[in-house]
Structure formats: C-alpha cells, structure tokens
C-alpha cells in the first residue's frame, strides 16, 4: 500500500469519480480528516483490522474508489481526529500481508503501487505482519 492524494486519483480517474462526490462530501462533513491510499484488497482488509484494534474504532468509514486492476484500488478512510489519521498513515508502509493460499509457498509482501511489490525480509525493522 502507499499513500496517494485526491489529486492523483482525479488525474487517474477524472470524471469517473463524480459518482462518489456526494458520499465523499457527506463523510468529510461528518469526519474532518481522511487519508487516501492505493492497495491490494488483502492489504486493505489487514489495515482495517489493525485500525479497529489499535485505534479503537468500531466502524471505519471508507470509500473504495474504482479498481485499477483485478485486486487493486484506491480507498479513502475517514477519521474524527487528526491523530487517528496520522497513526494510520504512519502504519501503512509497515504492514505486510501473508498470502498463504495464493502461491505454492507462503509469501509475505506489501505493494508499492500497482504491479510493484516489496517482499518481506527478516532484517526489516518495525514491520507488522498480518
């Protein structure tokens, strides 16, 4: 996963985002802080698990924007406080996901853009494996 900006997804999707405008404006009126990232669906699920457990958030409001590939998309997460958003933003590059059933042998990696992955190595520090 990697952080993106709303401008980046506007450039990528343009008018396709119009269908999300009302939902996004509503969520931004309710939650003053958001982060946008792109990632593979398993990564996003793992990030949400981490957030619910570590930020004590029962319901994590989000918008999954159009897919950019089969299992890859942009997502925006909304927060009541800036500290929640900053904590989540800080953890994004640390989360590595385990893919046990997809490959012949389990792999642990994170994406760094569509089609680009970083495989976990035992010498990496401050890594969260989910």
């Amino acid at each position: 996963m990697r952080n993106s900006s709303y401008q980046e997804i506007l450039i990528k999707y343009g008018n396709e985002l119009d269908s999300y405008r009302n939902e996004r404006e509503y969520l931004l009126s309710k939650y003053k802080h958001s982060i946008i990232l792109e990632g593979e669906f398993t990564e996003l699920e793992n990030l949400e698990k981490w957030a619910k457990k570590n930020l004590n958030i029962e319901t994590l409001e989000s918008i999954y924007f159009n897919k950019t590939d089969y299992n890859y998309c942009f997502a925006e997460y909304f927060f009541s406080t800036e500290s929640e958003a900053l904590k989540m933003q800080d953890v994004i590059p640390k989360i590595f996901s385990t893919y046990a059933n997809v490959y012949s042998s389990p792999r642990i990696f994170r994406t760094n853009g569509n089609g680009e992955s970083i495989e976990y190595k035992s010498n990496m520090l401050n890594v969260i494996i989910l």
Side-chain angles (χ1 to χ4, degrees):
M1 292 177 290
R2 71 176 180 186
N3 287 329
S4 294
S5 71
Y6 193 66
Q7 286 303 109
E8 287 175 302
I9 63 171
L10 279 176
I11 291 168
K12 185 149 192 137
Y13 294 119
N15 293 334
E16 294 177 40
L17 292 179
D18 285 343
S19 62
Y20 301 98
R21 182 173 303 178
N22 291 340
E23 181 182 8
R24 185 171 190 268
E25 287 175 2
Y26 169 74
L27 287 171
L28 284 172
S29 72
K30 195 173 168 185
Y31 303 94
K32 300 299 179 205
H33 306 278
S34 75
I35 60 168
I36 297 177
L37 54 101
E38 56 181 304
E40 190 271 335
F41 289 130
T42 300
E43 293 180 296
L44 299 175
E45 288 172 7
N46 286 337
L47 178 66
E48 290 173 18
K49 288 178 193 174
W50 179 91
K52 288 176 182 178
K53 181 179 178 184
N54 293 282
L55 299 178
N56 296 319
I57 297 173
E58 287 184 36
T59 303
L60 184 60
E61 295 284 354
S62 62
I63 298 174
Y64 281 77
F65 296 102
N66 297 10
K67 293 179 7 174
T68 60
D69 204 349
Y70 180 72
N71 281 336
Y72 204 85
C73 74
F74 283 94
E76 185 168 13
Y77 293 93
F78 299 86
F79 304 91
S80 298
T81 68
E82 183 180 25
S83 68
E84 291 172 336
L86 292 173
K87 285 177 187 174
M88 183 125 149
Q89 189 170 347
D90 182 54
V91 81
I92 289 168
K94 298 174 185 173
I95 292 183
F96 282 70
S97 295
T98 303
Y99 295 86
N101 299 323
V102 178
Y103 301 97
S104 56
S105 62
R107 287 184 58 205
I108 301 170
F109 67 91
R110 71 179 211 53
T111 61
N112 190 37
N114 193 4
E116 184 181 335
S117 62
I118 299 171
E119 190 140 6
Y120 168 75
K121 294 183 180 19
S122 60
N123 64 347
M124 294 177 161
L125 303 175
N126 300 317
V127 169
I128 301 167
I129 300 173
L130 298 170

